[in-house]
Amino acid sequence: MLLSESFQNDPWVILIMLANYALLLTIFFLQRKYGRKNHRYDERYYHVNNRNKARSWDAMLVIMLIAWPIVIIFDGISFSFFLLTIIYVLHNVTLLIVTAYYSNKNEEN
């Protein structure tokens, strides 16, 4: 079967995760609402936030490259390896798309 044994024994864990995501989404929208009301999102906020996101993506790339051989050593070429590979490919594809988009946008201005 496709589902893991631990999930089959405790399927309610997915409900807890979904409730957690709903809570986080609610907190996100409330925080945005009150932040806009108090004018917390100025130009400086967006500049600092964009730089932070860029650096976290750079760090994530390094973390994935370090995790790759660790997964192979301890788990072998299995689902974990392929999942990490897919995440790595998606990371780079999104980076490529965003880079192309903003490069094209800057050329138009």
Side-chain angles (χ1 to χ4, degrees):
M1 185 157 212
L2 264 177
L3 303 174
S4 69
E5 186 178 325
S6 61
F7 175 73
Q8 289 175 358
N9 293 336
D10 299 319
W12 51 268
V13 172
I14 291 293
L15 294 175
I16 292 173
M17 287 178 57
L18 291 175
N20 185 32
Y21 291 148
L23 177 67
L24 290 174
L25 196 60
T26 303
I27 290 171
F28 171 77
F29 283 119
L30 288 173
Q31 179 262 338
R32 294 293 288 179
K33 178 183 174 185
Y34 292 120
R36 284 189 180 140
K37 187 176 181 180
N38 295 330
H39 306 290
R40 290 186 191 146
Y41 302 115
D42 58 356
E43 187 175 322
R44 182 180 176 277
Y45 166 81
Y46 286 110
H47 178 71
V48 169
N49 200 29
N50 287 338
R51 288 188 59 155
N52 291 341
K53 287 178 185 178
R55 294 298 171 243
S56 70
W57 273 100
D58 294 344
M60 192 64 204
L61 178 62
V62 172
I63 291 167
M64 285 190 296
L65 291 174
I66 292 170
W68 220 346
I70 293 171
V71 166
I72 292 172
I73 290 169
F74 290 105
D75 203 26
I77 306 290
S78 63
F79 176 75
S80 301
F81 170 78
F82 288 110
L83 180 63
L84 190 59
T85 303
I86 290 168
I87 292 171
Y88 175 75
V89 168
L90 289 174
H91 167 81
N92 286 313
V93 167
T94 57
L95 179 63
L96 178 69
I97 291 170
V98 170
T99 301
Y101 173 78
Y102 282 110
S103 293
N104 190 26
K105 188 175 181 181
N106 286 337
E107 289 175 5
E108 291 175 359
N109 292 333

